[in-house]
Amino acid sequence: MKQIYDLGEMPPTGVVPDKMYASVIRSDRYGPPGKAFRTEIIDVPPLGRGQVLVYMMAAGVNYNNVWAALGKPVDVIGARRRKGEAEDFHIGGSEGSGIVWAVGDGARDVKVGDHVVVSPGFWDETAPDIRAGADPITSSTQKAWGYETNFGAFAQFALVQDYQCIPKPDRLSWVEAAAYMLTGATAYRQLTGWNPNVVRPGEPVLIWGGSGGLGSMATQITRALGGIPITVVSSEQRGEYSLRLGAQGVINRNDFGHWGRLPDIGDSDAFDLWLQGVRSFGTRFWEKLGERRAPTIVLEHVGQDTIPTSIYLCDNAGMVVLCGGTSGYHGDVDLRFLWMRQKRLQGSHFANLRQCHEVTQLVARGYIDPCLSYVGSFEEIGMAHQLMHDNAHPPGNMAVRINAHAEDDQYSGCTS
Ligand code: NAP
């Protein structure tokens, strides 16, 4: 048996070599993602109980490993070493597609040769809170796979828990299948997981970053459920893309300047100026909607720059649902708007298994396009993350080939 196989060279089914190629981050390279990733040869990790080794065909590119490369806000390598893990490197990649190559003792519902999409939701199924009935994604044991855990998708073999393997929709190529799960399932939970504030037919939804990964998925999910997506973008080209995906209207955020933290309430001049800004943004929302109604759901992930606007604009008894803070973590809330109008500010983090399977059904049946707009090679993993860090990436989702070949990249999608 060979000790290592080239990228794209498939070992005999089920044969696991000792070594593999991996795109690796080390703490002395923390910094701009373009320089933080480097291809190295690493030992293939041993299988534990309930675990599965997946021969990776393609991987999605997400913010998780922008943060991992920067070493901020969390030094993921240091955090794991403090908990006793031996490795002084990080192999990231929080979603992907591939073939089940080896199955550990006790692993269920998977067999060697299965074609799967790997979901990023990781938890300990034996944890007391899960056994007591908690939604696993809220468990104290929950982690983002390929970010908080090691041996993610950016290597020839990835180590996953059995439940992370979701059957791959046949109609998708490897690269398409690698790109929709993280953003798609996150947006699906945001829009359907927080009763009674779920997307309802005919109700408007405001979506920040409409052409981005989350935004492109959220727009299509809102449409599929009968809601009316109005999206925010920063360029005409991104706006056109969002309209093609089903947005009823698009707002260019560069037409406004009231972003960022709220002014001091005692500073009435600055506060009045802020109110003018947010009200003119609200007027634009009505224009795009074609009627004077507020969004019943605001899908947030931008954080500091936009939270005050989201809270102000959201309808009475509506919900601002937030899964990130790209622009910063200090989200100012004018509590008067929150309690007087009985609004809900809801944190939301990835998705549970039911939500992963349901969003996969929407993709498999063609209701949601994976919106794959960039496919890179293994050596371009760092560059793809750098583009994302610089907000210079193309609309939609990005993927990189791991063992897949360029000739397998056929697209089922309509948006790229
Ligand atoms: P993405 O593809 O880069 O899209 C984000 C969009 O946000 C960009 O296209 C950009 O659109 C917009 N944006 C950036 N800075 C902005 C600002 N200052 N004000 C308004 N809009 C801004 O990224 P993504 O994959 O959708 O992820 C977005 C965030 O969600 C990241 O922070 C990520 O970590 C987080 N996230 C969290 C989870 C979770 O489970 N908790 C899952 C997925 C993502 P325009 O410039 O066109 O406006």
Side-chain angles (χ1 to χ4, degrees):
M1 186 180 73
K2 288 168 76 166
Q3 207 193 22
I4 187 165
Y5 288 78
D6 284 338
L7 284 159
E9 183 192 2
M10 197 176 274
T13 303
V15 169
V16 179
D18 294 338
K19 307 264 179 198
M20 63 180 181
Y21 290 101
S23 188
V24 175
I25 296 172
R26 292 186 182 268
S27 37
D28 59 1
R29 291 201 293 270
Y30 278 159
K35 297 200 172 127
F37 291 86
R38 198 170 293 165
T39 301
E40 296 186 18
I41 293 175
I42 299 283
D43 288 348
V44 175
L47 263 180
R49 190 168 171 77
Q51 290 185 322
V52 172
L53 202 60
V54 177
Y55 176 76
M56 295 307 297
M57 298 301 280
V61 174
N62 292 284
Y63 257 98
N64 275 355
N65 281 280
V66 171
W67 309 129
L70 293 171
K72 287 187 223 162
V74 179
D75 161 11
V76 288
I77 298 168
R80 283 197 295 265
R81 282 174 74 84
R82 282 192 291 280
K83 287 184 182 151
E85 289 188 30
E87 292 81 22
D88 58 355
F89 58 81
H90 172 69
I91 302 176
S94 290
E95 64 178 334
S97 59
I99 304 172
V100 172
W101 217 253
V103 175
D105 287 344
R108 289 174 299 174
D109 301 329
V110 279
K111 59 180 189 318
V112 170
D114 285 353
H115 289 196
V116 294
V117 175
V118 180
S119 131
F122 175 104
W123 47 75
D124 176 358
E125 285 189 313
T126 67
D129 50 6
I130 293 178
R131 296 181 81 169
D135 184 345
I137 194 69
T138 68
S139 168
S140 59
T141 62
Q142 177 277 328
K143 290 179 182 157
W145 175 75
Y147 173 57
E148 291 165 284
T149 74
N150 212 345
F151 299 111
F154 299 143
Q156 284 180 296
F157 291 94
L159 195 58
V160 312
Q161 309 299 309
D162 54 2
Y163 57 80
Q164 287 177 258
C165 297
I166 314 267
K168 172 184 164 294
D170 288 339
R171 80 180 187 100
L172 302 186
S173 62
W174 290 114
V175 281
E176 286 175 314
Y180 73 88
M181 178 62 85
L182 192 146
T183 52
T186 303
Y188 187 74
R189 180 177 178 85
Q190 286 183 274
L191 295 169
T192 67
W194 302 104
N195 257 319
N197 300 92
V198 295
V199 175
R200 295 183 195 283
E203 293 196 347
V205 177
L206 176 66
I207 298 166
W208 294 101
S211 75
L214 282 170
S216 57
M217 298 290 108
T219 302
Q220 297 181 89
I221 294 165
T222 300
R223 266 285 175 223
L225 299 175
I228 310 172
I230 305 286
T231 64
V232 186
V233 297
S234 62
S235 74
E236 202 172 311
Q237 181 227 359
R238 289 182 174 193
E240 283 164 11
Y241 182 87
S242 183
L243 287 170
R244 282 206 298 282
L245 280 180
Q248 163 146 330
V250 172
I251 301 172
N252 189 329
R253 64 184 169 96
N254 291 324
D255 294 345
F256 304 87
H258 63 287
W259 309 119
R261 301 193 64 179
L262 277 176
D264 208 358
I265 288 203
D267 185 348
S268 53
D269 287 349
F271 202 80
D272 285 350
L273 205 60
W274 180 80
L275 269 179
Q276 270 176 36
V278 76
R279 281 181 180 146
S280 63
F281 184 83
T283 305
R284 184 73 61 86
F285 180 85
W286 288 339
E287 283 165 16
K288 298 294 175 186
L289 185 63
E291 52 184 322
R292 289 167 72 104
R293 286 166 69 201
T296 54
I297 298 181
V298 180
L299 185 123
E300 254 287 355
H301 48 87
V302 177
Q304 187 165 305
D305 277 358
T306 53
I307 270 285
T309 302
S310 296
I311 300 274
Y312 182 86
L313 230 69
C314 177
D315 200 5
N316 288 13
M319 174 179 68
V320 176
V321 57
L322 170 116
C323 73
T326 315
S327 64
Y329 308 119
H330 288 274
D332 289 345
V333 177
D334 186 327
L335 294 171
R336 295 168 298 180
F337 300 130
L338 203 68
W339 94 70
M340 292 298 289
R341 309 257 177 216
Q342 303 187 68
K343 303 181 185 193
R344 174 176 181 182
L345 176 56
Q346 177 67 54
S348 193
H349 191 48
F350 187 56
N352 59 32
L353 279 188
R354 179 179 54 75
Q355 291 158 339
C356 292
H357 282 276
E358 285 178 4
V359 86
T360 298
Q361 282 302 311
L362 289 176
V363 175
R365 287 158 198 276
Y367 292 103
I368 300 180
D369 185 307
C371 289
L372 182 66
S373 51
Y374 171 102
V375 180
S377 67
F378 192 76
E379 293 302 329
E380 286 166 340
I381 290 173
M383 194 189 79
H385 285 85
Q386 186 69 48
L387 287 173
M388 181 166 252
H389 171 267
D390 299 340
N391 195 13
H393 49 316
N397 286 311
M398 299 198 279
V400 288
R401 288 180 217 101
I402 306 292
N403 285 302
H405 296 270
E407 53 273 25
D408 299 329
D409 281 0
Q410 100 276 352
Y411 297 106
S412 59
C414 58
T415 48
S416 3

